[in-house]
Amino acid sequence: MKKIVLTILTVAALGRAYAQNPPAAKPQAGAIALTGATIHVGTGQVINNGVIVFDKGIITAIGDANTPTTGASVINVSGKHVYPGLISPAATVGLQEYASVRATLDFNEVGVINPNIRALVAYNTDSEVIPTIRNNGVLLTQAMPLGGTISGSSSIMQTDGWNWEDAVLKKDDGIWLNWPGYYSREFNFEDFSVGLRKNSRREAAINSLLATFSEAKAYAAQKTVTPINLKFEAMRGLFSGASNLYIRADYAKDIIEAVKFAKEAGVQKIVMVGADEAHRVASFLKDNSIPVILSPLHRLPNRQDEDVDLPYKMPGILQKAGVTVALSYNEEWWRTRNLPFLAGTAAGFGVTDREEALKMITANAAKIMGVDNVVGTLEKGKHATLFVSKGDALDMRTNVVEQVYIQGRTVDLDDKHKRLYKIYKDKYEGQKPLAEKK
């Protein structure tokens, strides 16, 4: 009996071990050269039959077929495509696992004014969602907090690492503000319609924000403060330009009001997030140099009188107006793996070309978040955070990621989806069709 129990426990343990995520990648051991590929630099430039060389996690050379590869292990990727690692801004990847299990949700904190809350320390590198997104080329994500009026600070994370200390690329890049708008949406579960209701708490919320930002600005003007106020200390970077203020607002009037509020409060860098009606105030955003992180494009418009494909066209409208645009899946963490296909949709609905659409999930996102000096494009001196795809990464039919490198580390591409595919493929492959069984 004891032997049977031990056998069952051993099998269960092995099964559990098999289901774990692959370990974090080891540091790059030697120089690597990828040759023969079509290289999408991320700046709009495309290098045909190109070569990219990287060592110790840094790109050392990039160019055409004549680029030297001396001393590097050469990997021929002819006929394939090399892209900079895709960046998912405004995401909760790593902060939540199962929507129906409260213990796995770590993006929200009790309270209304929480600038000192850091999403960074809640980032779970063992999340089973993370390997699924990097298998489509998403190698960087912005872990953002939710909830309250001031939610806390976000950080830029790599999708590989033993813990958040290993994974972090940039700590506390900005503070998140949920703007108290004139109206809030109300979902009707009976007919699945969306209605609007007046925000009765708006005035009180704005008065609270006015007081908070006023005190935080006065606090930031002092070099040393005793005792330290954790909330105001977290907001110090907003007034020096070291941190962004990410403002969630959808309606045109709310967008204008929120930007004016932030400017009057002394905030140096403002980013609009969501911005469903950004097309109505595109000139205002351009004149004030406000970049936008859009909500997911694969949805219906919010107003009944708008074009049904307006969300698809939004990136193109803003791009042509001169607004810097990045794309995101926002709170839909498990769908973040489809981020490249948002750019593909944008390319088909008004963005000038596919390379400009690619910038919306690489260079533009990196610039908005202040990490464009190390990631977002494939250039000499930047991190070797890139991937090799069998075809066009923006097309779901040809996005087949075959190699991934994060800071030069070779990343294992196993994930839960692939394991389940293999399990059920093996199960049904040997079975006879139902007609034959009869």
Side-chain angles (χ1 to χ4, degrees):
M1 183 65 185
K2 288 182 179 179
K3 289 184 178 181
I4 295 173
V5 172
L6 285 171
T7 302
I8 293 172
L9 290 174
T10 302
V11 171
L14 289 172
R16 186 171 179 79
Y18 174 73
Q20 295 301 307
N21 287 340
K26 295 179 180 178
Q28 186 177 357
I32 296 174
L34 304 177
T35 64
T38 299
I39 301 177
H40 303 262
V41 178
T43 60
Q45 179 188 6
V46 177
I47 304 173
N48 294 312
N49 191 23
V51 174
I52 182 167
V53 185
F54 49 96
D55 189 18
K56 298 178 182 177
I58 301 296
I59 297 172
T60 57
I62 182 170
D64 59 22
N66 296 318
T67 303
T69 60
T70 307
S73 298
V74 177
I75 302 175
N76 188 338
V77 288
S78 297
K80 297 172 184 178
H81 297 254
V82 175
Y83 290 88
L86 308 184
I87 305 171
S88 171
T92 56
V93 173
L95 302 180
Q96 61 176 321
E97 199 72 1
Y98 305 104
S100 58
V101 182
R102 178 65 186 88
T104 72
L105 309 182
D106 217 355
F107 53 78
N108 198 348
E109 193 57 73
V110 175
V112 178
I113 306 295
N114 292 318
N116 55 309
I117 297 302
R118 306 173 75 200
L120 169 70
V121 296
Y123 186 77
N124 176 25
T125 53
D126 290 325
S127 167
E128 289 190 326
V129 177
I130 292 174
T132 69
I133 72 171
R134 69 185 180 214
N135 262 304
N136 274 2
V138 182
L139 308 187
L140 295 156
T141 183
Q142 182 186 37
M144 69 165 182
L146 296 170
T149 303
I150 300 181
S151 307
S153 67
S154 57
S155 291
I156 316 305
M157 313 300 291
Q158 300 171 113
T159 56
D160 176 69
W162 287 105
N163 46 49
W164 68 261
E165 291 95 334
D166 289 343
V168 66
L169 179 68
K170 183 178 181 180
K171 297 179 181 179
D172 305 318
D173 68 292
I175 300 293
W176 287 74
L177 166 63
N178 293 309
W179 183 252
Y182 286 92
Y183 300 97
S184 58
R185 292 194 182 98
E186 191 173 47
F187 189 78
N188 188 329
F189 286 94
E190 292 184 1
D191 59 5
F192 301 102
S193 62
V194 179
L196 296 178
R197 65 176 179 180
K198 189 174 180 179
N199 185 358
S200 59
R201 300 179 180 178
R202 179 177 177 276
E203 186 176 351
I206 290 179
N207 287 338
S208 177
L209 284 175
L210 284 168
T212 300
F213 274 81
S214 177
E215 292 179 44
K217 185 178 181 181
Y219 181 94
Q222 304 176 60
K223 291 184 178 179
T224 56
V225 184
T226 305
I228 292 175
N229 185 306
L230 293 179
K231 292 182 184 291
F232 295 155
E233 194 67 34
M235 297 175 69
R236 187 184 287 273
L238 296 178
F239 308 104
S240 66
S243 303
N244 290 332
L245 178 63
Y246 296 96
I247 307 177
R248 298 187 187 94
D250 288 327
Y251 297 107
K253 191 172 183 178
D254 290 337
I255 293 171
I256 293 173
E257 191 175 48
V259 170
K260 288 183 176 179
F261 166 86
K263 283 185 171 291
E264 290 172 3
V267 176
Q268 299 298 304
K269 295 181 180 179
I270 305 165
V271 180
M272 294 307 306
V273 181
D276 290 350
E277 292 190 358
H279 62 293
R280 297 175 182 267
V281 291
S283 58
F284 171 83
L285 294 169
K286 169 64 169 60
D287 294 343
N288 287 276
S289 301
I290 308 297
V292 174
I293 299 175
L294 288 174
S295 294
L297 310 183
H298 295 163
R299 59 179 176 83
L300 292 172
N302 292 322
R303 294 177 181 264
Q304 292 182 347
D305 58 346
E306 289 176 334
D307 292 345
V308 70
D309 58 355
L310 176 62
Y312 297 176
K313 297 188 294 186
M314 184 76 78
I317 294 171
L318 296 180
Q319 181 216 11
K320 290 170 185 174
V323 178
T324 301
V325 180
L327 306 178
S328 80
Y329 257 108
N330 216 313
E331 300 167 38
E332 300 178 20
W333 77 107
W334 55 275
R335 294 180 65 190
T336 301
R337 65 181 183 272
N338 294 326
L339 181 68
F341 312 138
L342 294 185
T345 297
F349 283 83
V351 173
T352 49
D353 60 54
R354 297 187 80 77
E355 297 308 312
E356 286 298 315
L358 175 65
K359 287 168 66 175
M360 294 180 179
I361 52 175
T362 53
N364 287 6
K367 182 179 179 180
I368 289 171
M369 296 185 290
V371 291
D372 53 318
N373 61 319
V374 290
V375 294
T377 56
L378 299 178
E379 299 175 89
K380 185 177 178 179
K382 290 193 175 184
H383 290 180
T385 297
L386 52 95
F387 66 95
V388 179
S389 174
K390 188 175 181 180
D392 182 353
L394 307 189
D395 188 336
M396 65 178 65
R397 297 168 299 180
T398 56
N399 178 315
V400 181
V401 174
E402 296 183 341
Q403 298 175 46
V404 163
Y405 301 91
I406 295 179
Q407 289 186 337
R409 304 187 300 270
T410 304
V411 179
D412 190 328
L413 294 181
D414 183 37
D415 67 21
K416 185 174 182 177
H417 293 174
K418 290 181 178 178
R419 291 193 297 268
L420 290 174
Y421 171 79
K422 184 180 185 308
I423 287 171
Y424 289 101
K425 180 175 180 291
D426 291 346
K427 175 182 178 181
Y428 293 111
E429 205 168 44
Q431 293 186 8
K432 293 182 179 179
L434 191 60
E436 292 184 20
K437 289 182 179 180
K438 293 180 180 178

